[in-house]
Amino acid sequence: MMSYETGYGGPAETSAIEARGVGRKYRRGWALRDCSFRLPAGRICGLVGPNGAGKTTLMAIAANLLAPTTGTLRVFGAAPESAEATRRTAFLAQEKPLFRRFTVAETLRMGRELNPGWDQRAAEDIVRAGNVPLDAKIGTLSGGQRTRVAFAVSFGKRPDLLLLDEPMSDLDPLVRHELMGTLLAEAAERGTTVLMSTHMLAELENTCDYLLVIAGGRLRMAGEVDELRTSHAVLTGVHSDGRTPPELAYHTVVETRTSGRQFTSLIRPDGPVAGGPWEASTPNLEELLLAYLRSPEAPPLISPSSYVAPQAVAA
Amino acid sequence: MVVKGLEFRIDRRSGVAAYQQIVQQTKQALRLGVLGPGDQLPTAKSVAQTSAVNPNTTLKAYRELEREGLVEARPGLGTFVRQSLARPQAPVDSLLRGELESWMDRAREAGLEQDDVTALVTSVMEERYAGTGPAADHAGPTGPVEPAGPQHQQ
C-alpha cells in the first residue's frame, strides 16, 4: 500500500517500460512502427486499439517473446532478454496456456518449481478467493475459474510488470468485475505495474489510470487518463449547411460529426473554448478513444509523462 | 472504526472524473454524518476489490481530501477522518427542510416537472450563493474552504 503511494507523481519516477523507435516487421509488413513512449512504474495501463493494431506484438516484445526489428525497448532499464527483466516480468497470453490435465494444486506447484521468487501464499489466496478447489483438474474449470488460476500463477511470480493480453475477453460481466477487483487489489498491494490490452472501452474508465492507444501499428495517444481527458473538449452546436463555426479552426480538431443540424467536435483546445457558439464539456474516456480510433489522420498525442526522444539508444 | 458501509458508486458514463466522484461521495458521507472524526476510510485495496476502481484513483481522491484538511493518512495504518462536515444545527435544518417540502408540494401542484424544479433551484442557488464556494457554508469558521467556481458537470 505505502509503496504504492510513493510510486505516483512527478516525472522523476522510474519507467517500467521505455520504448524508443520500436518497430516489428513480419513477412506481410510492419505490425508496429516507430513506437516511442515510457510507462511510469506503478500504473495500471490500458493498451487499446483495433484488432491487428500491434498490441500483442508490443507486449510480446516487452515479454521477450519477440525481438524488435528496429529500436530498443527496456523493462525497468534492462533489456527484455536479460535475467533481471525476465525475473521481473510476467506475461499472460490471451489463450491463458495451462495444462488441462493438471490439477490447480499441480499448476501452482509448477509455478513454484519454475520461479525462484515464488509466493505460494499469494497464489493460493487468489485461487481460494474464487472458491476454486485445489484438487480440480484445469480442464473441468469454467472460463472465469481458469482465468483466476492464470492470475494466481502470474501474481505468484511476484512480477513488477504484469503484461495481460485481453485477460477478460471471454468472461461474463459479473466474473469480469470480480476478477478485475482481484487484479487491482493485488496490484495495489504490491505496487505492480500492469499493462493490459483490451477491447472493452467502457471498462477502462475506472480501472486504468494510464493509456496507450495504437492503431495501424503506430502509437496514437499515450499518457495519464485524467490528463488526456482534460486536454480535450467536446463541443456541440448547430452547423449551417454542414459548415461548422469558423472559431473551430483555432483549435486542433480530432473529429467532427454531424447529425441533423447538430455538430459534435472533439478537439484539443489551443486557447479558451468557453464563449464560442457551442456547448463545451470534457469527454469521457470512451468518447475520447472512439474519436481517435475513428480518425487515423488526427495528430498523435504523447503526453509529457510518457514522452521519450525517439532515437534508439545503443543496445 | 472502519466504516464497513461506505461503498463508492462510480458512474462510468458521467463526465466527472472517478476521483472527483470519490471526493464528492466522501464529503456527502461527512455531511450526512455517515462518517465522523476518527473513522477509517476504506483502503485503496478494498475499494479496488469491491468496486473494481483503480487504487491510484482512490489514493488521488484521498490526497485531495487530505489537502482540504478533512482526512489524514497515517502511514501503515490507513486514512482517517479528521473533521466532520455535519452541521450541528439539526433543528434549523429540519425547519428549512419542512419549508422546502411545502414549497416542493406547491411546485408540483403548479405542474412543474422534476427537471423544471432542479433548473429553478439551481438558478436561484447560483444567484444567492454567487461568490461563495460550494461547500464554504458547511465548514466551520476555521474549516477549509473549497475553491469557488462552477463544477463542470455534463
Side-chain angles (χ1 to χ4, degrees):
Chain A
M1 268 298 307
M2 287 304 125
S3 63
Y4 215 77
E5 303 215 23
T6 54
Y8 192 87
E13 57 197 340
T14 30
S15 304
I17 299 181
E18 204 167 297
R20 288 173 195 266
V22 169
R24 167 74 201 195
K25 195 178 181 181
Y26 294 113
R27 219 174 304 162
R28 281 166 291 132
W30 290 92
L32 201 62
R33 289 204 92 160
D34 295 332
C35 272
S36 297
F37 68 91
R38 60 185 286 267
L39 170 59
R43 304 308 176 100
I44 315 284
C45 179
L47 177 57
V48 187
N51 281 329
K55 305 191 292 286
T56 303
T57 300
L58 178 61
M59 286 207 192
I61 292 172
N64 190 34
L65 298 174
L66 272 182
T69 313
T70 64
T72 53
L73 186 142
R74 290 287 177 269
V75 176
F76 295 105
E81 65 272 19
S82 68
E84 197 204 342
T86 351
R87 182 178 54 78
R88 298 180 77 173
T89 309
F91 175 61
L92 181 53
Q94 195 170 359
E95 54 276 16
K96 299 173 196 84
L98 296 172
F99 292 106
R100 295 177 60 84
R101 300 179 63 184
F102 274 30
T103 65
V104 175
E106 285 164 349
T107 304
L108 297 189
R109 173 143 178 253
M110 189 175 68
R112 193 166 69 224
E113 305 277 337
L114 292 177
N115 296 288
W118 181 256
D119 186 338
Q120 179 73 10
R121 195 160 147 215
E124 277 185 23
D125 284 351
I126 293 174
V127 168
R128 288 220 179 85
N131 293 318
V132 182
L134 283 168
D135 57 355
K137 286 226 164 47
I138 297 293
T140 66
L141 301 179
S142 69
Q145 288 174 319
R146 253 201 297 269
T147 303
R148 184 173 278 282
V149 173
F151 275 15
V153 173
S154 303
F155 274 109
K157 226 191 133 180
R158 281 189 157 267
D160 294 317
L161 172 64
L162 181 55
L163 305 161
L164 303 170
D165 196 1
E166 300 272 352
M168 317 272 186
S169 55
D170 51 349
L171 304 178
D172 70 65
L174 191 67
V175 176
R176 242 175 11 227
H177 187 268
E178 186 192 301
L179 279 173
M180 191 59 91
T182 300
L183 171 68
L184 294 175
E186 290 295 321
E189 187 151 295
R190 289 165 216 286
T192 319
T193 309
V194 179
L195 178 64
M196 176 170 61
S197 72
T198 180
H199 280 324
M200 287 163 226
L201 302 187
E203 210 159 66
L204 288 169
E205 187 95 39
N206 296 332
T207 51
C208 295
D209 51 49
Y210 219 80
L211 207 62
L212 293 174
V213 180
I214 304 188
R218 288 177 188 271
L219 192 61
R220 303 298 322 284
M221 193 155 49
E224 211 169 295
V225 168
D226 285 338
E227 186 185 7
L228 293 175
R229 279 185 55 232
T230 52
S231 53
H232 291 83
V234 176
L235 308 178
T236 51
V238 177
H239 68 78
S240 54
D241 297 329
R243 283 198 309 278
T244 49
E247 293 91 332
L248 206 56
Y250 298 140
H251 308 288
T252 306
V253 179
V254 175
E255 183 196 45
T256 293
R257 301 197 305 152
T258 55
S259 68
R261 291 165 60 192
Q262 182 179 271
F263 75 90
T264 305
S265 290
L266 190 125
I267 63 153
R268 263 184 243 161
D270 297 319
V273 291
W278 47 56
E279 290 270 323
S281 63
T282 306
N284 65 34
L285 188 54
E286 196 176 353
E287 288 171 319
L288 183 62
L289 287 171
L290 286 174
Y292 269 86
L293 294 176
R294 277 191 299 244
S295 322
E297 70 290 347
L301 176 61
I302 313 300
S303 80
S305 69
S306 53
Y307 178 78
V308 293
Q311 300 87 2
V313 290
Chain B
M1 151 192 134
V2 181
V3 183
K4 289 255 158 50
L6 189 68
E7 213 176 280
F8 298 113
R9 305 168 317 279
I10 310 298
D11 181 357
R12 286 159 209 256
R13 307 294 306 177
S14 84
V16 183
Y19 86 92
Q20 279 170 341
Q21 295 188 41
I22 294 179
V23 168
Q24 284 163 5
Q25 287 173 29
T26 307
K27 285 184 180 170
Q28 181 72 358
L30 290 169
R31 272 182 207 121
L32 295 174
V34 176
L35 282 176
D39 285 346
Q40 187 184 356
L41 297 179
T43 62
K45 184 183 175 183
S46 79
V47 177
Q49 186 84 69
T50 54
S51 310
V53 168
N54 185 303
N56 284 332
T57 304
T58 308
L59 293 174
K60 187 171 177 183
Y62 288 1
R63 276 195 302 273
E64 169 128 357
L65 290 163
E66 194 172 8
R67 266 199 298 279
E68 294 183 29
L70 297 173
V71 304
E72 63 180 340
R74 298 183 197 154
L77 293 174
T79 305
F80 295 83
V81 176
R82 278 185 58 191
Q83 177 176 5
S84 172
L85 284 174
R87 304 194 67 190
Q89 312 105 305
V92 179
D93 278 351
S94 47
L95 178 63
L96 286 171
R97 189 187 166 90
E99 286 175 9
L100 185 58
E101 277 167 356
S102 54
W103 180 86
M104 241 12 116
D105 290 341
R106 291 204 303 280
R108 192 172 176 173
E109 280 161 27
L112 268 66
E113 306 259 337
Q114 275 194 32
D115 289 348
D116 303 329
V117 172
T118 310
L120 194 55
V121 168
T122 309
S123 87
V124 174
M125 189 164 65
E126 276 169 6
E127 184 188 310
R128 295 296 174 188
Y129 279 81
T132 63
D137 58 321
H138 288 295
T142 57
V145 174
E146 277 190 305
Q151 285 277 0
H152 210 86
Q153 296 198 17
Q154 172 53 13

